[in-house]
Structures are given as C-alpha cells and as structure tokens.
Amino acid sequence: MSTSPHQVDPPAVALVPRTGVRANVFYGKPVASVTAFPVRPVSEVVIPKVELDAISLSYKTTSGELLLALDKISLAVKPGEFLCIVGPSGCGKSTLLHLIAGLHPPTSGRILVDGAPVSGPGTDRILIFQELGLFPWLTVGGNVEFGLKMKNVSKAEREEKVQYYLRLVHLLNFRDSYIHQLSGGMRQRVALARALATEPDVLLMDEPFAALDAQTRDLLHDELERLWSETGRTIIFVTHNVREAVRLGDRVALLTFRPGRVKQEFSVSLPRPRQMEQNDVLRTARDILDCLRAEINKSLAEEYADEKAR
Amino acid sequence: MKKLARQIIFYAALLGVWAFLAKLHLWPPYLFPPPWGVGQALWDGFADHSFWIGIAVTMKRMLIGYSLSVVLGMILGLAVSSNKFLEETLGGLLVSLQSLPSICWIPLAVLWFGLTEKAILFVVLMGSLLSVTIAMEDGRKQMPKIYGMAGRNLGASGFRLFWSVLLPASLPFIVNGMKQGWAFAWRSLIQAEMIFLSLGLGQLLMMGRDLSDMSQVMAVMILIIILGYLVDGLIFRTMERRLQEKYGLTPA
C-alpha cells in the first residue's frame, strides 16, 4: 500500500471553522500535539487506520417510513489514536460502531481499514458492545479464549494469552467463574480482556462504562488508558458523557441528533494521565458541552413530543 | 423447611379425610377403597413384579419415543426457523397440528402399523414432536440477538457460529421445549397404552378397571403421577432453573 511511489495524501479530517477557540481546544486538524504521555511518534503522512468515507445509513421503521440515521459521516482515525464520539442519545453512535465492526453494511459510503474496504466482521476490529454480550454458558476464561479459538490459535498459545490478558485486567483468580457470578465492573473487564485477547488493531467501544458507578468507572478509565498506551491500539470510543470523552480521547467528534452528522471535531491535547475532575478537563468538556447542548435539546424535544403524541 | 412441614400436614390431612370417608362406608369399598387398600395394592403390585414390569415397559417406550421426538423436533425446528419459506408453510402446519390431541393419531397408527410397539411409539412421537419443534423455533427467535453479533464480531461464522454460539445461546429455550415435549409424550403414551393392551402402566390401569379393582386403579394412578412428577418436576424444572439463573433470565 504505502510502497506505491504515487502516494496520495490521506484525506484530511473533516474540518470545521475555527470559532471561539480556547487555549486547550483546537478546531480542525490536530497540531502535532506535544503531549508528554504516552510517547508516540507523530508522523505527518499516515494512512488512516480507519476511514469513514461519507457513510450514510437509512432504515425502514416499523411504521414503514424511511429514517435517515447517519448522514454522510466522514472521519479519519490515525493509527494509535484514541477517538471519542459523543452525541445525544439516538444520534446513531452505536450504529456507527456496528458499521465499522462490519456487522451491517452502510446504505452508502465506504469504510476503509488500512486503506482497504471493509466487507464484513473481522478480528482486526473488535467491538465491545454496550450490553457486552458475554457468553453466559462459558467461564470467564472460556469467554476470553473464544476469539482465539475462532482464529484457530494453538492450545498452548491460547492458554498463554488467556492468562496474560486476564492478569492485565486483574481477573486471573476468576478464570473459572461464570459471568452471572461477577459484578458489573468485573464483567466490563472480562469484555475488555475478551476483545484484547484477539489482539485487534482497532478497539471499538460502545458506552462500555455507562452502567458503572463512578469509582469503578474511574478505575477502568485508568486501566484503559494504560492498556492503550502499552499496546498502541487504535480506539474508537462512543459515549454520551463529554467529560469521559475529554478524559480519554486525543480527539472528540461531536455528532448531531438524527440524522447523525459530524457537527464538530475537537482535539484534546491535555497532558496524560488525566482525571475526570481535573480543571482543564472540565473546562474543555464545558466547551464541547455548549456545542452539544443544542443537539441534546433537539433530542429531548423529540422525546417529549413522542410522549405527548401518546 | 416450614414449607415442607406445611406440605406434610396438607397430605396427612388429605389422607385423613380420605380414610374418614372410607370408614363411613358411604360407598362400597370396590368403588371407594380406603387408603390402606390402595397401599396394599401398591405393595402387592410391586411384590408380584407386575408394577416393576409395567414401569420398565412404559419407561422404555418413553425413552425411545421421546428421544426420537427430541432429535427430530430439533432438526425440524432448526429447519423451520432458518428458512423463511419453511416457516411460512410448514411452520403454520405444525402449529395447527398441535391442536390435534395426540390420541387422535391412534386410529391412523393402528391401521399403518397394526397393534404393535411401532404404533405406540408413533403416537408418543407425534405427541411430543410438535411441541419440541415449536419450542426450538421460538427459542431461535427469542434468543437475544447480541450473542450472534458478539460471535460474529469475534470471528465466528457458518457452522462454528451455530455450534458454539447460537446453539448454546438458545439452550434455555431448548430445555423448555424438551420439558413441554416430555409432558406431552407422557400423556400420549399412557393414553395409547390404555387402548393397546400391551403391558405398561396404561394397561395395568385398564386391567384394574376390568377386574373392578379400584384399589389397583388408584395405585397405578399414583404411580403415574409420581413418575411424571419425578421427571418433569425434579429433573426438568431444576435444569431450567439453573439455566435461567446462569443466563440471567430471572432476576437473581
């Protein structure tokens, strides 16, 4: 791919006009953000790890009308980048991840991974579902091993990786437990280990921490950040929590409410590790929230309208 | 344990009322036997081995007919649930056939197979096949979609997706179908045996009638209840409860 002499510059990130810039928020293409942690080389010309090229999705509702869920979304994610996608509920954030995972095809547009179009699910992109989808008939170890079995990894290697990733998420002692015996935070970590064990290039996470209490969530944020900096994975993380997005992301993309469009992108160059309650995280989050509020209002207005109609 | 105590008191009271009514001699003993008469019949039945033989013959038929219906029912259920055409055609037929009491198959079975073991097995098969099939089909539909998606996401496809994800994911529904199938098969078998006169518990029941031996009739009825309850109430219900807990289908 990159051996071609006529190498074309990758399409730049969809840009938005610079308005109301604050010191720690850059609109548009991230400047080679000088961050102390994690240390990773920032090369200027890279083929995006994941590229969404004007993807749209529409579907028929039960009443038969055609609903446009996603409208010409274009995004490029660099290798090793941590991209957070925020938006009001109902903006199609989860659907977007399902499309990238290859579970459904988009109505139009292309999804490229390493420059090659995606045609179905692949273990180079693993999605952690909002509902997790852990298999209750398997033990914790069995769940983590599942993807490796599907990849026909040898038994010895499977054993080694299951041990490694369970230790990574501090669940080695629970290897033989069943899912229903675990707490919510532990289930999250099993899902994380199961996804990491197949060693995907891209980790897709769909509001994975939404149902957790604040302490567990903070703990998992730290662990996720550590895993990300240690393994160099590309992460696309969907959330409705702006502070969480700023806490974790290199970049935050804001989606509009129905149909989902990229409204604006924010580059977050705060030094890592970060904390949710940190002042500059809060300040940045507030900026993004101002932008998001309009969309949330739209989504609420529609929900209330539905209620009135009933 | 309080529950067990209450149950014991309830059954003791029931026996007491029965014994009291029998003592009043309102009806002749051959029409309304006392509890000890039924107890004696149970003892005699086991002592002369006729009950043991009856149970063995009935359970053997049950095992063969029921196993056959589970295997066939699963295959049919899978076929119907995975093919739109079959679902619309065969699926509808199966549902409508289920409203036919399985005893209605007896004339047909007798004409096809004669008064043979095959005819009885056929009736048992028809009794439970449909409910297993329909439960299997329902299970495939009700199974949470997330498991299939998670499986595909982790690289499973085709037969492996079916075998290591879809099948285990629908296990609670399959067990439910097996339980229903068992109940139907059990009823069909006893009914068929009552008509066929060929050993088995159903025949013991009819023999009691022919000999005007109400004690034996009631003894066999008790046997049928106990056997049916042992399998349905203990084995299947326990299995179902464990699965539901494991799969998070009940609020634990």
Side-chain angles (χ1 to χ4, degrees):
Chain A
M1 303 179 287
S2 50
T3 49
S4 152
H6 312 288
Q7 193 170 359
V8 201
D9 277 353
V13 172
L15 298 184
V16 265
R18 293 163 182 263
T19 45
V21 184
R22 269 194 119 102
N24 47 18
V25 179
F26 298 92
Y27 299 99
K29 193 174 183 183
V31 196
S33 340
V34 195
T35 49
F37 175 89
V39 186
R40 45 180 81 244
V42 183
S43 51
E44 279 306 314
V45 181
V46 274
I47 292 192
K49 190 75 215 177
V50 179
E51 193 187 343
L52 309 181
D53 180 15
I55 57 170
S56 299
L57 182 79
S58 46
Y59 60 90
K60 266 213 175 84
T61 59
T62 38
S63 54
E65 52 189 320
L66 205 63
L67 193 82
L68 186 62
L70 297 172
D71 188 18
K72 295 204 185 89
I73 292 197
S74 293
L75 272 172
V77 191
K78 280 184 293 186
E81 190 181 8
F82 200 135
L83 172 73
C84 287
I85 298 178
V86 290
S89 58
C91 72
K93 304 177 298 249
S94 302
T95 314
L96 188 62
L97 283 193
H98 285 210
L99 295 183
I100 301 173
L103 293 171
H104 319 288
T107 312
S108 68
R110 287 185 317 160
I111 298 165
L112 305 162
V113 173
D114 288 325
V118 161
S119 59
T123 42
D124 53 338
R125 294 152 278 137
I126 295 292
L127 170 60
I128 300 181
F129 295 88
Q130 193 172 0
E131 319 87 313
L132 302 185
L134 293 169
F135 300 140
W137 58 91
L138 296 177
T139 58
V140 167
N143 266 282
V144 177
E145 195 183 11
F146 184 87
L148 299 167
K149 263 192 180 157
M150 295 302 125
K151 275 173 94 177
N152 297 320
V153 174
S154 74
K155 190 159 171 45
E157 198 180 332
R158 282 203 314 257
E159 177 59 33
E160 195 182 303
K161 284 194 175 157
V162 168
Q163 285 222 14
Y164 176 79
Y165 285 102
L166 280 180
R167 191 172 292 126
L168 206 64
V169 296
H170 307 299
L171 278 177
L172 199 51
N173 289 337
F174 292 90
R175 197 184 161 148
D176 297 321
S177 304
Y178 283 91
I179 305 305
H180 73 280
Q181 298 165 320
L182 305 182
S183 69
M186 286 155 93
R187 290 179 197 187
Q188 287 300 341
R189 272 146 50 202
V190 178
L192 192 59
R194 180 172 80 168
L196 288 172
T198 58
E199 309 195 328
D201 293 345
V202 183
L203 205 53
L204 307 165
M205 305 179 78
D206 187 5
E207 305 214 26
F209 306 140
L212 298 180
D213 60 278
Q215 278 151 314
T216 314
R217 188 196 52 205
D218 287 350
L219 214 71
L220 288 173
H221 281 166
D222 295 342
E223 283 191 31
L224 180 62
E225 191 170 55
R226 176 175 60 88
L227 290 171
W228 168 67
S229 63
E230 276 171 16
T231 56
R233 304 263 182 276
T234 307
I235 298 182
I236 304 180
F237 188 105
V238 156
T239 176
H240 63 265
N241 184 338
V242 178
R243 277 193 299 151
E244 182 174 53
V246 176
R247 155 79 184 79
L248 291 169
D250 290 332
R251 189 150 57 100
V252 177
L254 183 61
L255 290 197
T256 59
F257 176 73
R258 215 173 285 165
R261 293 191 188 105
V262 179
K263 184 171 189 184
Q264 205 156 1
E265 286 178 43
F266 304 83
S267 165
V268 183
S269 52
L270 302 172
R272 291 176 189 273
R274 307 171 189 155
Q275 297 295 321
M276 286 267 268
E277 278 71 34
Q278 214 168 295
N279 273 337
D280 40 2
V281 167
L282 292 176
R283 222 176 304 128
T284 311
R286 206 172 308 132
D287 284 344
I288 301 177
L289 204 56
D290 286 340
C291 212
L292 178 62
R293 194 149 292 136
E295 299 306 322
I296 294 177
N297 288 341
K298 261 190 252 169
S299 104
L300 287 181
E302 189 146 318
E303 252 170 54
Y304 291 151
D306 282 354
E307 254 166 46
K308 271 181 199 153
R310 238 170 253 150
Chain B
M1 277 302 106
K2 263 192 181 162
K3 186 182 160 200
L4 185 67
R6 280 199 291 268
Q7 282 170 337
I8 289 173
I9 291 169
F10 171 75
Y11 285 109
L14 203 63
L15 275 176
V17 171
W18 179 8
F20 177 72
L21 286 175
K23 269 287 187 196
L24 287 179
H25 294 293
L26 296 173
W27 307 278
Y30 61 86
L31 289 185
F32 193 83
W36 48 88
V38 175
Q40 185 66 43
L42 270 173
W43 178 265
D44 292 345
F46 280 114
D48 70 8
H49 301 298
S50 63
F51 281 9
W52 288 121
I53 295 170
I55 292 174
V57 169
T58 297
M59 290 314 270
K60 184 185 141 211
R61 286 178 183 147
M62 194 62 194
L63 272 177
I64 299 176
Y66 175 65
S67 317
L68 215 60
S69 78
V70 167
V71 173
L72 284 177
M74 282 191 185
I75 296 173
L76 256 173
L78 278 180
V80 170
S81 63
S82 48
N83 183 304
K84 188 112 185 117
F85 175 75
L86 283 180
E87 188 190 332
E88 284 165 358
T89 54
L90 190 59
L93 177 68
L94 290 177
V95 172
S96 61
L97 274 181
Q98 210 196 8
S99 63
L100 185 72
S102 62
I103 195 105
C104 299
W105 291 101
I106 285 186
L108 195 139
V110 172
L111 289 178
W112 278 359
F113 303 105
L115 287 170
T116 61
E117 200 70 16
K118 271 188 208 152
I120 286 193
L121 290 180
F122 178 76
V123 174
V124 175
L125 180 69
M126 294 316 289
S128 64
L129 176 68
L130 299 175
S131 55
V132 174
T133 306
I134 289 167
M136 186 79 195
E137 188 195 342
D138 274 359
R140 285 287 307 278
K141 279 190 207 140
Q142 287 174 34
M143 183 192 74
K145 298 274 175 292
I146 181 89
Y147 296 130
M149 289 206 287
R152 289 206 293 143
N153 185 229
L154 289 164
S157 61
F159 179 74
R160 291 177 93 181
L161 181 69
F162 168 74
W163 185 252
S164 28
V165 180
L166 300 181
L167 199 62
S170 47
L171 199 59
F173 305 101
I174 296 176
V175 167
N176 185 276
M178 284 171 66
K179 184 181 146 196
Q180 272 183 40
W182 173 272
F184 276 109
W186 184 241
R187 283 160 182 69
S188 317
L189 177 57
I190 302 292
Q191 287 167 353
E193 282 183 347
M194 286 174 70
I195 292 174
F196 274 73
L197 296 193
S198 53
L199 303 165
L201 290 175
Q203 194 216 345
L204 285 174
L205 202 61
M206 291 310 274
M207 204 150 73
R209 191 203 71 169
D210 293 342
L211 301 174
S212 286
D213 186 352
M214 188 56 91
S215 297
Q216 177 172 341
V217 170
M218 291 182 79
V220 177
M221 281 167 69
I222 290 172
L223 270 186
I224 294 173
I225 292 172
I226 291 175
L227 279 176
Y229 178 76
L230 276 182
V231 177
D232 187 47
L234 295 185
I235 300 181
F236 277 113
R237 218 164 291 173
T238 313
M239 214 149 83
E240 205 173 35
R241 212 188 42 237
R242 290 239 175 99
L243 276 172
Q244 285 184 342
E245 186 190 297
K246 199 165 169 177
Y247 282 60
L249 293 173
T250 47

